[in-house]
Amino acid sequence: MTDLNHLQDTPDETLMLMMAGQHEEALRELHRRYARLLYGLGGRMLRQPDDVETCVQDAFMNAWKHAARFDPSRAKVKTWLVSIAHHRFLQQLRDRPDVALELEDWDTPTAATDPTDIILAQQAMSALDGTQRHLVELMYYRGYTHSELATMTGLPLGTVKSRLRLALEHMRTALSPTAKEGKEHGT
């Protein structure tokens, strides 16, 4: 196995370029950086370690195969990897037979890799009212589509979409640097 210490300070975007050039050590370094984050997300969504393991590995293999398509102007590497894994987790959920789980089962805290991520997620979710939070949790962690959410909640499809869009805007605002500065300065 190659010593990866020389890649520890390499920017993610450079590692993506290396991966596009079929450098396996770049994949190993990105795996070292982000696998725990993906396992945490997968654990919360799937609840079955074997499924999480398979999906995380599939996500990294997908990233390996499509590294040349990565566009740093559209997303950070971390965001891109989380997106790939999230889509894989959702597919795994859709492939499962229907099993009723209470929302509380999905809302149980899980171990996270980075305390900053936990704080930021809590900060973003605290900006939401109860309905918005419920819709975001069902869509993101349970994988329901807008149409399925409309059916489940009895809300019109346009209302579901509007509430989710507003929820994401509230979360984005809560995480924006200007919002953080305002809180620090008591405004």
mmCIF file with all atom_site columns, all heavy atoms in Angstrom, residues 19 23-24 32 39 41 49-50 54 58 62 71 96 112 116 125 134 138 141 145 147 151 160 169:
data_model
loop_
_atom_site.group_PDB
_atom_site.id
_atom_site.type_symbol
_atom_site.label_atom_id
_atom_site.label_alt_id
_atom_site.label_comp_id
_atom_site.label_asym_id
_atom_site.label_entity_id
_atom_site.label_seq_id
_atom_site.pdbx_PDB_ins_code
_atom_site.Cartn_x
_atom_site.Cartn_y
_atom_site.Cartn_z
_atom_site.occupancy
_atom_site.B_iso_or_equiv
_atom_site.pdbx_formal_charge
_atom_site.auth_seq_id
_atom_site.auth_comp_id
_atom_site.auth_asym_id
_atom_site.auth_atom_id
_atom_site.pdbx_PDB_model_num
ATOM 1   N N   . MET A 1 19  ? -7.594  11.543 -9.534  1.00 0.00 ? 19  MET A N   1
ATOM 2   C CA  . MET A 1 19  ? -8.492  10.405 -9.711  1.00 0.00 ? 19  MET A CA  1
ATOM 3   C C   . MET A 1 19  ? -8.922  10.274 -11.164 1.00 0.00 ? 19  MET A C   1
ATOM 4   O O   . MET A 1 19  ? -8.997  9.162  -11.693 1.00 0.00 ? 19  MET A O   1
ATOM 5   C CB  . MET A 1 19  ? -9.745  10.551 -8.834  1.00 0.00 ? 19  MET A CB  1
ATOM 6   C CG  . MET A 1 19  ? -9.687  9.709  -7.601  1.00 0.00 ? 19  MET A CG  1
ATOM 7   S SD  . MET A 1 19  ? -11.110 9.840  -6.478  1.00 0.00 ? 19  MET A SD  1
ATOM 8   C CE  . MET A 1 19  ? -12.540 9.832  -7.487  1.00 0.00 ? 19  MET A CE  1
ATOM 9   N N   . HIS A 1 23  ? -5.262  7.703  -10.656 1.00 0.00 ? 23  HIS A N   1
ATOM 10  C CA  . HIS A 1 23  ? -4.324  7.559  -9.544  1.00 0.00 ? 23  HIS A CA  1
ATOM 11  C C   . HIS A 1 23  ? -5.091  7.048  -8.327  1.00 0.00 ? 23  HIS A C   1
ATOM 12  O O   . HIS A 1 23  ? -5.837  7.801  -7.684  1.00 0.00 ? 23  HIS A O   1
ATOM 13  C CB  . HIS A 1 23  ? -3.640  8.892  -9.225  1.00 0.00 ? 23  HIS A CB  1
ATOM 14  C CG  . HIS A 1 23  ? -2.738  9.373  -10.314 1.00 0.00 ? 23  HIS A CG  1
ATOM 15  N ND1 . HIS A 1 23  ? -1.460  8.893  -10.474 1.00 0.00 ? 23  HIS A ND1 1
ATOM 16  C CD2 . HIS A 1 23  ? -2.941  10.267 -11.303 1.00 0.00 ? 23  HIS A CD2 1
ATOM 17  C CE1 . HIS A 1 23  ? -0.906  9.482  -11.521 1.00 0.00 ? 23  HIS A CE1 1
ATOM 18  N NE2 . HIS A 1 23  ? -1.792  10.311 -12.042 1.00 0.00 ? 23  HIS A NE2 1
ATOM 19  N N   . GLU A 1 24  ? -4.893  5.766  -8.023  1.00 0.00 ? 24  GLU A N   1
ATOM 20  C CA  . GLU A 1 24  ? -5.642  5.131  -6.933  1.00 0.00 ? 24  GLU A CA  1
ATOM 21  C C   . GLU A 1 24  ? -5.356  5.757  -5.575  1.00 0.00 ? 24  GLU A C   1
ATOM 22  O O   . GLU A 1 24  ? -6.230  5.781  -4.709  1.00 0.00 ? 24  GLU A O   1
ATOM 23  C CB  . GLU A 1 24  ? -5.328  3.636  -6.885  1.00 0.00 ? 24  GLU A CB  1
ATOM 24  C CG  . GLU A 1 24  ? -5.901  2.878  -8.051  1.00 0.00 ? 24  GLU A CG  1
ATOM 25  C CD  . GLU A 1 24  ? -5.596  1.391  -7.981  1.00 0.00 ? 24  GLU A CD  1
ATOM 26  O OE1 . GLU A 1 24  ? -5.291  0.885  -6.879  1.00 0.00 ? 24  GLU A OE1 1
ATOM 27  O OE2 . GLU A 1 24  ? -5.681  0.742  -9.039  1.00 0.00 ? 24  GLU A OE2 1
ATOM 28  N N   . ARG A 1 32  ? -10.196 8.279  2.895   1.00 0.00 ? 32  ARG A N   1
ATOM 29  C CA  . ARG A 1 32  ? -9.749  8.544  4.260   1.00 0.00 ? 32  ARG A CA  1
ATOM 30  C C   . ARG A 1 32  ? -10.431 9.802  4.815   1.00 0.00 ? 32  ARG A C   1
ATOM 31  O O   . ARG A 1 32  ? -10.852 9.842  5.964   1.00 0.00 ? 32  ARG A O   1
ATOM 32  C CB  . ARG A 1 32  ? -8.230  8.716  4.305   1.00 0.00 ? 32  ARG A CB  1
ATOM 33  C CG  . ARG A 1 32  ? -7.675  8.883  5.729   1.00 0.00 ? 32  ARG A CG  1
ATOM 34  C CD  . ARG A 1 32  ? -6.242  9.361  5.749   1.00 0.00 ? 32  ARG A CD  1
ATOM 35  N NE  . ARG A 1 32  ? -6.065  10.710 5.223   1.00 0.00 ? 32  ARG A NE  1
ATOM 36  C CZ  . ARG A 1 32  ? -6.402  11.833 5.884   1.00 0.00 ? 32  ARG A CZ  1
ATOM 37  N NH1 . ARG A 1 32  ? -6.938  11.768 7.080   1.00 0.00 ? 32  ARG A NH1 1
ATOM 38  N NH2 . ARG A 1 32  ? -6.203  13.016 5.336   1.00 0.00 ? 32  ARG A NH2 1
ATOM 39  N N   . TYR A 1 39  ? -20.483 7.170  5.987   1.00 0.00 ? 39  TYR A N   1
ATOM 40  C CA  . TYR A 1 39  ? -20.999 6.088  6.836   1.00 0.00 ? 39  TYR A CA  1
ATOM 41  C C   . TYR A 1 39  ? -22.007 6.638  7.845   1.00 0.00 ? 39  TYR A C   1
ATOM 42  O O   . TYR A 1 39  ? -23.020 6.006  8.129   1.00 0.00 ? 39  TYR A O   1
ATOM 43  C CB  . TYR A 1 39  ? -19.866 5.363  7.570   1.00 0.00 ? 39  TYR A CB  1
ATOM 44  C CG  . TYR A 1 39  ? -19.166 4.339  6.720   1.00 0.00 ? 39  TYR A CG  1
ATOM 45  C CD1 . TYR A 1 39  ? -17.879 4.568  6.243   1.00 0.00 ? 39  TYR A CD1 1
ATOM 46  C CD2 . TYR A 1 39  ? -19.774 3.131  6.395   1.00 0.00 ? 39  TYR A CD2 1
ATOM 47  C CE1 . TYR A 1 39  ? -17.222 3.638  5.454   1.00 0.00 ? 39  TYR A CE1 1
ATOM 48  C CE2 . TYR A 1 39  ? -19.129 2.187  5.611   1.00 0.00 ? 39  TYR A CE2 1
ATOM 49  C CZ  . TYR A 1 39  ? -17.861 2.441  5.139   1.00 0.00 ? 39  TYR A CZ  1
ATOM 50  O OH  . TYR A 1 39  ? -17.224 1.520  4.361   1.00 0.00 ? 39  TYR A OH  1
ATOM 51  N N   . LEU A 1 41  ? -23.967 9.328  7.524   1.00 0.00 ? 41  LEU A N   1
ATOM 52  C CA  . LEU A 1 41  ? -25.196 9.645  6.800   1.00 0.00 ? 41  LEU A CA  1
ATOM 53  C C   . LEU A 1 41  ? -25.930 8.360  6.436   1.00 0.00 ? 41  LEU A C   1
ATOM 54  O O   . LEU A 1 41  ? -27.145 8.236  6.641   1.00 0.00 ? 41  LEU A O   1
ATOM 55  C CB  . LEU A 1 41  ? -24.874 10.450 5.538   1.00 0.00 ? 41  LEU A CB  1
ATOM 56  C CG  . LEU A 1 41  ? -26.046 10.779 4.625   1.00 0.00 ? 41  LEU A CG  1
ATOM 57  C CD1 . LEU A 1 41  ? -27.083 11.633 5.332   1.00 0.00 ? 41  LEU A CD1 1
ATOM 58  C CD2 . LEU A 1 41  ? -25.547 11.481 3.371   1.00 0.00 ? 41  LEU A CD2 1
ATOM 59  N N   . PRO A 1 49  ? -25.952 -1.902 8.766   1.00 0.00 ? 49  PRO A N   1
ATOM 60  C CA  . PRO A 1 49  ? -24.527 -1.733 8.471   1.00 0.00 ? 49  PRO A CA  1
ATOM 61  C C   . PRO A 1 49  ? -24.069 -2.353 7.150   1.00 0.00 ? 49  PRO A C   1
ATOM 62  O O   . PRO A 1 49  ? -23.265 -1.763 6.446   1.00 0.00 ? 49  PRO A O   1
ATOM 63  C CB  . PRO A 1 49  ? -23.829 -2.387 9.666   1.00 0.00 ? 49  PRO A CB  1
ATOM 64  C CG  . PRO A 1 49  ? -24.825 -2.291 10.775  1.00 0.00 ? 49  PRO A CG  1
ATOM 65  C CD  . PRO A 1 49  ? -26.168 -2.432 10.127  1.00 0.00 ? 49  PRO A CD  1
ATOM 66  N N   . ASP A 1 50  ? -24.590 -3.522 6.806   1.00 0.00 ? 50  ASP A N   1
ATOM 67  C CA  . ASP A 1 50  ? -24.173 -4.148 5.546   1.00 0.00 ? 50  ASP A CA  1
ATOM 68  C C   . ASP A 1 50  ? -24.597 -3.307 4.346   1.00 0.00 ? 50  ASP A C   1
ATOM 69  O O   . ASP A 1 50  ? -23.841 -3.149 3.384   1.00 0.00 ? 50  ASP A O   1
ATOM 70  C CB  . ASP A 1 50  ? -24.750 -5.561 5.411   1.00 0.00 ? 50  ASP A CB  1
ATOM 71  C CG  . ASP A 1 50  ? -24.098 -6.541 6.375   1.00 0.00 ? 50  ASP A CG  1
ATOM 72  O OD1 . ASP A 1 50  ? -23.009 -6.222 6.906   1.00 0.00 ? 50  ASP A OD1 1
ATOM 73  O OD2 . ASP A 1 50  ? -24.678 -7.621 6.595   1.00 0.00 ? 50  ASP A OD2 1
ATOM 74  N N   . THR A 1 54  ? -22.031 -1.368 1.668   1.00 0.00 ? 54  THR A N   1
ATOM 75  C CA  . THR A 1 54  ? -22.152 -1.571 0.223   1.00 0.00 ? 54  THR A CA  1
ATOM 76  C C   . THR A 1 54  ? -22.377 -0.246 -0.495  1.00 0.00 ? 54  THR A C   1
ATOM 77  O O   . THR A 1 54  ? -21.727 0.041  -1.515  1.00 0.00 ? 54  THR A O   1
ATOM 78  C CB  . THR A 1 54  ? -23.320 -2.535 -0.076  1.00 0.00 ? 54  THR A CB  1
ATOM 79  O OG1 . THR A 1 54  ? -23.046 -3.789 0.543   1.00 0.00 ? 54  THR A OG1 1
ATOM 80  C CG2 . THR A 1 54  ? -23.518 -2.726 -1.564  1.00 0.00 ? 54  THR A CG2 1
ATOM 81  N N   . ASP A 1 58  ? -20.013 1.642  -3.141  1.00 0.00 ? 58  ASP A N   1
ATOM 82  C CA  . ASP A 1 58  ? -20.555 1.952  -4.471  1.00 0.00 ? 58  ASP A CA  1
ATOM 83  C C   . ASP A 1 58  ? -20.385 3.434  -4.793  1.00 0.00 ? 58  ASP A C   1
ATOM 84  O O   . ASP A 1 58  ? -20.069 3.802  -5.930  1.00 0.00 ? 58  ASP A O   1
ATOM 85  C CB  . ASP A 1 58  ? -22.046 1.593  -4.546  1.00 0.00 ? 58  ASP A CB  1
ATOM 86  C CG  . ASP A 1 58  ? -22.307 0.107  -4.598  1.00 0.00 ? 58  ASP A CG  1
ATOM 87  O OD1 . ASP A 1 58  ? -21.347 -0.684 -4.730  1.00 0.00 ? 58  ASP A OD1 1
ATOM 88  O OD2 . ASP A 1 58  ? -23.505 -0.276 -4.488  1.00 0.00 ? 58  ASP A OD2 1
ATOM 89  N N   . ASN A 1 62  ? -18.364 4.913  -7.872  1.00 0.00 ? 62  ASN A N   1
ATOM 90  C CA  . ASN A 1 62  ? -19.017 5.809  -8.820  1.00 0.00 ? 62  ASN A CA  1
ATOM 91  C C   . ASN A 1 62  ? -18.197 7.093  -8.976  1.00 0.00 ? 62  ASN A C   1
ATOM 92  O O   . ASN A 1 62  ? -18.007 7.591  -10.098 1.00 0.00 ? 62  ASN A O   1
ATOM 93  C CB  . ASN A 1 62  ? -20.440 6.114  -8.339  1.00 0.00 ? 62  ASN A CB  1
ATOM 94  C CG  . ASN A 1 62  ? -21.288 6.770  -9.402  1.00 0.00 ? 62  ASN A CG  1
ATOM 95  O OD1 . ASN A 1 62  ? -20.904 6.874  -10.560 1.00 0.00 ? 62  ASN A OD1 1
ATOM 96  N ND2 . ASN A 1 62  ? -22.464 7.202  -9.015  1.00 0.00 ? 62  ASN A ND2 1
ATOM 97  N N   . ASP A 1 71  ? -17.025 18.975 -11.559 1.00 0.00 ? 71  ASP A N   1
ATOM 98  C CA  . ASP A 1 71  ? -16.893 20.389 -11.923 1.00 0.00 ? 71  ASP A CA  1
ATOM 99  C C   . ASP A 1 71  ? -16.814 21.209 -10.631 1.00 0.00 ? 71  ASP A C   1
ATOM 100 O O   . ASP A 1 71  ? -17.828 21.405 -9.956  1.00 0.00 ? 71  ASP A O   1
ATOM 101 C CB  . ASP A 1 71  ? -18.097 20.815 -12.763 1.00 0.00 ? 71  ASP A CB  1
ATOM 102 C CG  . ASP A 1 71  ? -18.035 22.269 -13.208 1.00 0.00 ? 71  ASP A CG  1
ATOM 103 O OD1 . ASP A 1 71  ? -17.092 23.001 -12.814 1.00 0.00 ? 71  ASP A OD1 1
ATOM 104 O OD2 . ASP A 1 71  ? -18.941 22.676 -13.955 1.00 0.00 ? 71  ASP A OD2 1
ATOM 105 N N   . ARG A 1 96  ? -35.852 -1.537 -1.159  1.00 0.00 ? 96  ARG A N   1
ATOM 106 C CA  . ARG A 1 96  ? -36.301 -2.354 -0.027  1.00 0.00 ? 96  ARG A CA  1
ATOM 107 C C   . ARG A 1 96  ? -37.808 -2.534 -0.076  1.00 0.00 ? 96  ARG A C   1
ATOM 108 O O   . ARG A 1 96  ? -38.529 -1.653 -0.535  1.00 0.00 ? 96  ARG A O   1
ATOM 109 C CB  . ARG A 1 96  ? -35.972 -1.667 1.301   1.00 0.00 ? 96  ARG A CB  1
ATOM 110 C CG  . ARG A 1 96  ? -34.534 -1.682 1.658   1.00 0.00 ? 96  ARG A CG  1
ATOM 111 C CD  . ARG A 1 96  ? -34.359 -1.007 2.999   1.00 0.00 ? 96  ARG A CD  1
ATOM 112 N NE  . ARG A 1 96  ? -32.980 -1.043 3.410   1.00 0.00 ? 96  ARG A NE  1
ATOM 113 C CZ  . ARG A 1 96  ? -32.505 -0.397 4.454   1.00 0.00 ? 96  ARG A CZ  1
ATOM 114 N NH1 . ARG A 1 96  ? -33.307 0.326  5.200   1.00 0.00 ? 96  ARG A NH1 1
ATOM 115 N NH2 . ARG A 1 96  ? -31.228 -0.467 4.765   1.00 0.00 ? 96  ARG A NH2 1
ATOM 116 N N   . ALA A 1 112 ? -21.560 11.240 14.526  1.00 0.00 ? 112 ALA A N   1
ATOM 117 C CA  . ALA A 1 112 ? -21.085 11.962 13.349  1.00 0.00 ? 112 ALA A CA  1
ATOM 118 C C   . ALA A 1 112 ? -19.573 12.062 13.415  1.00 0.00 ? 112 ALA A C   1
ATOM 119 O O   . ALA A 1 112 ? -18.967 11.931 14.468  1.00 0.00 ? 112 ALA A O   1
ATOM 120 C CB  . ALA A 1 112 ? -21.704 13.353 13.287  1.00 0.00 ? 112 ALA A CB  1
ATOM 121 N N   . THR A 1 116 ? -18.420 19.897 13.976  1.00 0.00 ? 116 THR A N   1
ATOM 122 C CA  . THR A 1 116 ? -18.840 21.103 13.271  1.00 0.00 ? 116 THR A CA  1
ATOM 123 C C   . THR A 1 116 ? -20.041 20.810 12.386  1.00 0.00 ? 116 THR A C   1
ATOM 124 O O   . THR A 1 116 ? -20.981 21.597 12.313  1.00 0.00 ? 116 THR A O   1
ATOM 125 C CB  . THR A 1 116 ? -17.682 21.657 12.413  1.00 0.00 ? 116 THR A CB  1
ATOM 126 O OG1 . THR A 1 116 ? -16.561 21.872 13.268  1.00 0.00 ? 116 THR A OG1 1
ATOM 127 C CG2 . THR A 1 116 ? -18.070 22.955 11.736  1.00 0.00 ? 116 THR A CG2 1
ATOM 128 N N   . MET A 1 125 ? -31.411 23.197 10.882  1.00 0.00 ? 125 MET A N   1
ATOM 129 C CA  . MET A 1 125 ? -32.727 22.620 11.172  1.00 0.00 ? 125 MET A CA  1
ATOM 130 C C   . MET A 1 125 ? -33.500 23.466 12.180  1.00 0.00 ? 125 MET A C   1
ATOM 131 O O   . MET A 1 125 ? -34.722 23.518 12.130  1.00 0.00 ? 125 MET A O   1
ATOM 132 C CB  . MET A 1 125 ? -32.580 21.186 11.678  1.00 0.00 ? 125 MET A CB  1
ATOM 133 C CG  . MET A 1 125 ? -32.119 20.199 10.628  1.00 0.00 ? 125 MET A CG  1
ATOM 134 S SD  . MET A 1 125 ? -33.221 20.019 9.220   1.00 0.00 ? 125 MET A SD  1
ATOM 135 C CE  . MET A 1 125 ? -34.430 18.894 9.903   1.00 0.00 ? 125 MET A CE  1
ATOM 136 N N   . HIS A 1 134 ? -40.389 18.480 9.356   1.00 0.00 ? 134 HIS A N   1
ATOM 137 C CA  . HIS A 1 134 ? -40.969 17.165 9.070   1.00 0.00 ? 134 HIS A CA  1
ATOM 138 C C   . HIS A 1 134 ? -40.821 16.828 7.578   1.00 0.00 ? 134 HIS A C   1
ATOM 139 O O   . HIS A 1 134 ? -40.405 15.714 7.229   1.00 0.00 ? 134 HIS A O   1
ATOM 140 C CB  . HIS A 1 134 ? -42.442 17.166 9.493   1.00 0.00 ? 134 HIS A CB  1
ATOM 141 C CG  . HIS A 1 134 ? -43.142 15.862 9.305   1.00 0.00 ? 134 HIS A CG  1
ATOM 142 N ND1 . HIS A 1 134 ? -42.873 14.753 10.070  1.00 0.00 ? 134 HIS A ND1 1
ATOM 143 C CD2 . HIS A 1 134 ? -44.104 15.497 8.430   1.00 0.00 ? 134 HIS A CD2 1
ATOM 144 C CE1 . HIS A 1 134 ? -43.640 13.763 9.673   1.00 0.00 ? 134 HIS A CE1 1
ATOM 145 N NE2 . HIS A 1 134 ? -44.396 14.183 8.676   1.00 0.00 ? 134 HIS A NE2 1
ATOM 146 N N   . LEU A 1 138 ? -38.540 13.757 6.025   1.00 0.00 ? 138 LEU A N   1
ATOM 147 C CA  . LEU A 1 138 ? -39.149 12.706 5.209   1.00 0.00 ? 138 LEU A CA  1
ATOM 148 C C   . LEU A 1 138 ? -38.521 12.640 3.818   1.00 0.00 ? 138 LEU A C   1
ATOM 149 O O   . LEU A 1 138 ? -38.284 11.556 3.291   1.00 0.00 ? 138 LEU A O   1
ATOM 150 C CB  . LEU A 1 138 ? -40.661 12.918 5.092   1.00 0.00 ? 138 LEU A CB  1
ATOM 151 C CG  . LEU A 1 138 ? -41.473 12.628 6.347   1.00 0.00 ? 138 LEU A CG  1
ATOM 152 C CD1 . LEU A 1 138 ? -42.931 13.056 6.147   1.00 0.00 ? 138 LEU A CD1 1
ATOM 153 C CD2 . LEU A 1 138 ? -41.390 11.160 6.731   1.00 0.00 ? 138 LEU A CD2 1
ATOM 154 N N   . TYR A 1 141 ? -34.181 12.025 4.541   1.00 0.00 ? 141 TYR A N   1
ATOM 155 C CA  . TYR A 1 141 ? -33.761 10.815 5.247   1.00 0.00 ? 141 TYR A CA  1
ATOM 156 C C   . TYR A 1 141 ? -34.590 9.582  4.897   1.00 0.00 ? 141 TYR A C   1
ATOM 157 O O   . TYR A 1 141 ? -34.139 8.463  5.057   1.00 0.00 ? 141 TYR A O   1
ATOM 158 C CB  . TYR A 1 141 ? -33.771 11.028 6.764   1.00 0.00 ? 141 TYR A CB  1
ATOM 159 C CG  . TYR A 1 141 ? -32.709 11.998 7.186   1.00 0.00 ? 141 TYR A CG  1
ATOM 160 C CD1 . TYR A 1 141 ? -33.044 13.242 7.693   1.00 0.00 ? 141 TYR A CD1 1
ATOM 161 C CD2 . TYR A 1 141 ? -31.371 11.691 7.041   1.00 0.00 ? 141 TYR A CD2 1
ATOM 162 C CE1 . TYR A 1 141 ? -32.059 14.141 8.073   1.00 0.00 ? 141 TYR A CE1 1
ATOM 163 C CE2 . TYR A 1 141 ? -30.385 12.581 7.408   1.00 0.00 ? 141 TYR A CE2 1
ATOM 164 C CZ  . TYR A 1 141 ? -30.741 13.800 7.922   1.00 0.00 ? 141 TYR A CZ  1
ATOM 165 O OH  . TYR A 1 141 ? -29.779 14.695 8.281   1.00 0.00 ? 141 TYR A OH  1
ATOM 166 N N   . THR A 1 145 ? -40.574 11.183 -2.485  1.00 0.00 ? 145 THR A N   1
ATOM 167 C CA  . THR A 1 145 ? -40.644 12.193 -3.550  1.00 0.00 ? 145 THR A CA  1
ATOM 168 C C   . THR A 1 145 ? -41.644 13.270 -3.146  1.00 0.00 ? 145 THR A C   1
ATOM 169 O O   . THR A 1 145 ? -42.422 13.094 -2.197  1.00 0.00 ? 145 THR A O   1
ATOM 170 C CB  . THR A 1 145 ? -41.095 11.562 -4.877  1.00 0.00 ? 145 THR A CB  1
ATOM 171 O OG1 . THR A 1 145 ? -42.443 11.088 -4.726  1.00 0.00 ? 145 THR A OG1 1
ATOM 172 C CG2 . THR A 1 145 ? -40.173 10.416 -5.299  1.00 0.00 ? 145 THR A CG2 1
ATOM 173 N N   . SER A 1 147 ? -44.320 14.067 -4.744  1.00 0.00 ? 147 SER A N   1
ATOM 174 C CA  . SER A 1 147 ? -45.667 13.495 -4.917  1.00 0.00 ? 147 SER A CA  1
ATOM 175 C C   . SER A 1 147 ? -46.045 12.603 -3.743  1.00 0.00 ? 147 SER A C   1
ATOM 176 O O   . SER A 1 147 ? -47.180 12.654 -3.258  1.00 0.00 ? 147 SER A O   1
ATOM 177 C CB  . SER A 1 147 ? -45.739 12.682 -6.212  1.00 0.00 ? 147 SER A CB  1
ATOM 178 O OG  . SER A 1 147 ? -45.502 13.509 -7.313  1.00 0.00 ? 147 SER A OG  1
ATOM 179 N N   . THR A 1 151 ? -49.183 13.105 -1.015  1.00 0.00 ? 151 THR A N   1
ATOM 180 C CA  . THR A 1 151 ? -50.149 12.063 -0.681  1.00 0.00 ? 151 THR A CA  1
ATOM 181 C C   . THR A 1 151 ? -50.148 11.783 0.819   1.00 0.00 ? 151 THR A C   1
ATOM 182 O O   . THR A 1 151 ? -51.205 11.687 1.448   1.00 0.00 ? 151 THR A O   1
ATOM 183 C CB  . THR A 1 151 ? -49.836 10.771 -1.466  1.00 0.00 ? 151 THR A CB  1
ATOM 184 O OG1 . THR A 1 151 ? -49.882 11.066 -2.866  1.00 0.00 ? 151 THR A OG1 1
ATOM 185 C CG2 . THR A 1 151 ? -50.819 9.674  -1.139  1.00 0.00 ? 151 THR A CG2 1
ATOM 186 N N   . VAL A 1 160 ? -46.366 21.430 -1.083  1.00 0.00 ? 160 VAL A N   1
ATOM 187 C CA  . VAL A 1 160 ? -45.216 20.651 -0.613  1.00 0.00 ? 160 VAL A CA  1
ATOM 188 C C   . VAL A 1 160 ? -43.931 21.219 -1.204  1.00 0.00 ? 160 VAL A C   1
ATOM 189 O O   . VAL A 1 160 ? -42.950 21.466 -0.492  1.00 0.00 ? 160 VAL A O   1
ATOM 190 C CB  . VAL A 1 160 ? -45.373 19.151 -0.971  1.00 0.00 ? 160 VAL A CB  1
ATOM 191 C CG1 . VAL A 1 160 ? -44.070 18.394 -0.754  1.00 0.00 ? 160 VAL A CG1 1
ATOM 192 C CG2 . VAL A 1 160 ? -46.497 18.526 -0.174  1.00 0.00 ? 160 VAL A CG2 1
ATOM 193 N N   . GLU A 1 169 ? -34.300 27.403 1.767   1.00 0.00 ? 169 GLU A N   1
ATOM 194 C CA  . GLU A 1 169 ? -33.836 28.800 1.827   1.00 0.00 ? 169 GLU A CA  1
ATOM 195 C C   . GLU A 1 169 ? -33.564 29.213 3.265   1.00 0.00 ? 169 GLU A C   1
ATOM 196 O O   . GLU A 1 169 ? -32.568 29.883 3.546   1.00 0.00 ? 169 GLU A O   1
ATOM 197 C CB  . GLU A 1 169 ? -34.877 29.721 1.190   1.00 0.00 ? 169 GLU A CB  1
ATOM 198 C CG  . GLU A 1 169 ? -34.945 29.620 -0.314  1.00 0.00 ? 169 GLU A CG  1
ATOM 199 C CD  . GLU A 1 169 ? -36.081 30.454 -0.912  1.00 0.00 ? 169 GLU A CD  1
ATOM 200 O OE1 . GLU A 1 169 ? -36.592 31.371 -0.221  1.00 0.00 ? 169 GLU A OE1 1
ATOM 201 O OE2 . GLU A 1 169 ? -36.450 30.171 -2.055  1.00 0.00 ? 169 GLU A OE2 1
#
